[in-house]
Amino acid sequence: MKKIGVLTSGGDAPGMNATIRAVVRAGLSEGLEVYGVYNGYQGLVNNEIFQMHRNDVSDMITKGGTLLGSARLDDFKLVETRQKAVDNLNALGIEGLVVIGGDGTYRGAKELSEMGINCIAVPGTIDNDIDSTSYSIGFDTALNTIIENVDKLRDTSASHHRCSVVEVMGNRCGDLALYAGITVGAEIVITKETGFDESEVLERLRSIDALKKKRHAIILISEKITDVELLAQKISGNTSFSGRSTVLGHIQRGGSPTARDRILATQYGDRALRALLDGESNRCVCLVDDKFVTMDIQEALSLTKKSRKELFELHRRLV
């Protein structure tokens, strides 16, 4: 193998640039030519491919987002669309590809592998919803962003006997809400795993106020579970707390990656490069029991999320 490529796809995540940097510099140190692809799989199809050099990734380890850009391409599921990408890669002599993203990115890598391009996938998503790995790139940074913002909300919440209902990202996975809930001392955490019962939430708030004389309360809830503004209104009308809703939104995606994400992303990138050099394809890099291993992409996609039952129980005991 003499030439490899790297791309990012799907939602951006802090630490993606550190992964790109690791792939580029580790590849160059092995004597490879390394090519970047702008705008994910769309860039592959449109031939937005360029050769990268060491200086192209200078200082990028500190920056959020992705220097290569990202885009979603629904038509990539069509074989004729993927064939355009394969033809572009073959024309440049690129034999291997590192793709960074979520489960949709993994599926694209699997399909390209089946068409003769050696692909290694790396988990890059703030939701931590890649079930084959303990932690995905960007999760720690997003978690710390949530913590910082909720800590600030607590100050004003306590001053006015409020209950702050804070919606965080995590459409399919409640890890952001759960981990943030524990670290900020939230009174209630609501995710798909816990389910949502409005009457139970209101009763718990009334109990918290009556028995524990709390000056404020924090509820952390994963996105797309309920209308948080309506829930805040119900809290105001049915408890002694004044309900206020806050949707953190895409602020959770941005910012300079934490030290943990920078290290993790660098390790992921280097391990992906090693996998390509070892002739692996249709594999993804996983962090399992603090060790980096590779796994068949289809196997990774078929896994179910590890239960967080112990963490949920720990949170409930400490409220």
Side-chain angles (χ1 to χ4, degrees):
M1 186 171 293
K2 297 180 180 180
K3 298 181 181 181
I4 66 166
V6 57
L7 63 80
T8 53
S9 179
D12 62 290
M16 281 183 165
N17 283 328
T19 308
I20 296 167
R21 173 181 178 271
V23 172
V24 171
R25 293 199 169 175
L28 292 175
S29 71
E30 294 291 339
L32 303 176
E33 289 184 19
V34 183
Y35 290 78
V37 182
Y38 284 127
N39 301 320
Y41 292 126
Q42 178 179 291
L44 276 185
V45 174
N46 294 336
N47 205 22
E48 300 176 73
I49 306 170
F50 67 103
Q51 188 170 356
M52 299 188 74
H53 304 282
R54 183 179 181 84
N55 290 342
D56 291 328
V57 292
S58 293
D59 301 325
M60 295 308 300
I61 196 170
T62 67
K63 299 184 186 301
T66 163
L67 69 94
L68 293 176
S70 184
R72 301 185 190 277
L73 181 63
D74 289 339
D75 284 351
F76 203 71
K77 67 184 71 170
L78 303 175
V79 66
E80 57 266 32
T81 301
R82 296 197 302 276
Q83 188 60 54
K84 293 178 183 178
V86 171
D87 291 343
N88 289 334
L89 291 169
N90 287 337
L92 289 168
I94 297 173
E95 304 167 79
L97 196 62
V98 175
V99 301
I100 309 160
D103 54 0
T105 304
Y106 278 38
R107 293 187 183 94
K110 174 180 177 294
E111 290 160 345
L112 284 178
S113 296
E114 292 168 351
M115 298 176 72
I117 303 297
N118 291 350
C119 289
I120 302 295
V122 171
T125 165
I126 66 167
D127 294 352
N128 205 38
D129 58 356
I130 300 295
D131 302 334
S132 58
T133 193
S134 299
Y135 295 104
S136 58
I137 296 163
F139 173 72
D140 188 67
T141 306
L143 175 61
N144 278 276
T145 297
I146 294 169
I147 293 168
E148 179 183 359
N149 282 277
V150 174
D151 284 348
K152 292 177 180 178
L153 281 173
R154 182 184 299 279
D155 293 340
T156 187
S157 181
S159 299
H160 299 279
H161 196 63
R162 287 177 179 163
C163 174
S164 291
V165 183
V166 185
E167 180 185 284
V168 301
M169 285 184 167
N171 183 21
R172 298 191 306 110
C173 175
D175 281 7
L176 281 173
L178 173 59
Y179 281 67
I182 292 173
T183 50
V184 303
E187 279 67 35
I188 298 174
V189 172
I190 303 169
T191 71
K192 286 189 175 181
E193 293 90 336
T194 67
F196 174 62
D197 184 326
E198 182 182 282
S199 60
E200 180 185 351
V201 171
L202 296 175
E203 179 56 37
R204 285 175 65 185
L205 287 173
R206 288 191 288 265
S207 176
I208 286 169
D209 195 29
L211 299 178
K212 300 181 181 179
K213 307 298 181 183
K214 297 281 289 187
R215 291 178 56 85
H216 63 88
I218 300 288
I219 296 176
L220 278 169
I221 181 169
S222 297
E223 61 185 335
K224 300 183 179 180
I225 288 181
T226 192
D227 184 326
V228 292
E229 175 57 28
L230 182 59
L231 177 58
Q233 293 173 13
K234 294 285 186 69
I235 290 170
S236 293
N238 294 276
T239 76
S240 62
F241 291 106
S242 175
R244 294 290 187 276
S245 66
T246 300
V247 178
L248 293 183
H250 283 85
I251 192 173
Q252 296 161 87
R253 285 198 185 279
S256 180
T258 60
R260 180 171 187 176
D261 266 333
R262 295 182 197 189
I263 294 170
L264 193 67
T266 300
Q267 291 173 306
Y268 270 123
D270 182 70
R271 185 65 179 84
L273 186 279
R274 299 295 157 196
L276 282 179
L277 291 177
D278 288 341
E280 295 186 47
S281 182
N282 197 19
R283 310 278 290 181
C284 58
V285 183
C286 316
L287 179 62
V288 180
D289 296 329
D290 291 326
K291 294 182 180 179
F292 288 93
V293 297
T294 63
M295 180 185 297
D296 179 82
I297 290 178
Q298 184 57 51
E299 179 184 353
L301 290 172
S302 67
L303 293 175
T304 55
K305 191 69 182 177
K306 301 179 183 69
S307 172
R308 305 298 193 200
K309 182 179 179 181
E310 291 183 0
L311 285 178
F312 280 113
E313 290 178 348
L314 172 62
H315 172 261
R316 290 293 292 268
R317 289 199 303 272
L318 298 180
V319 173

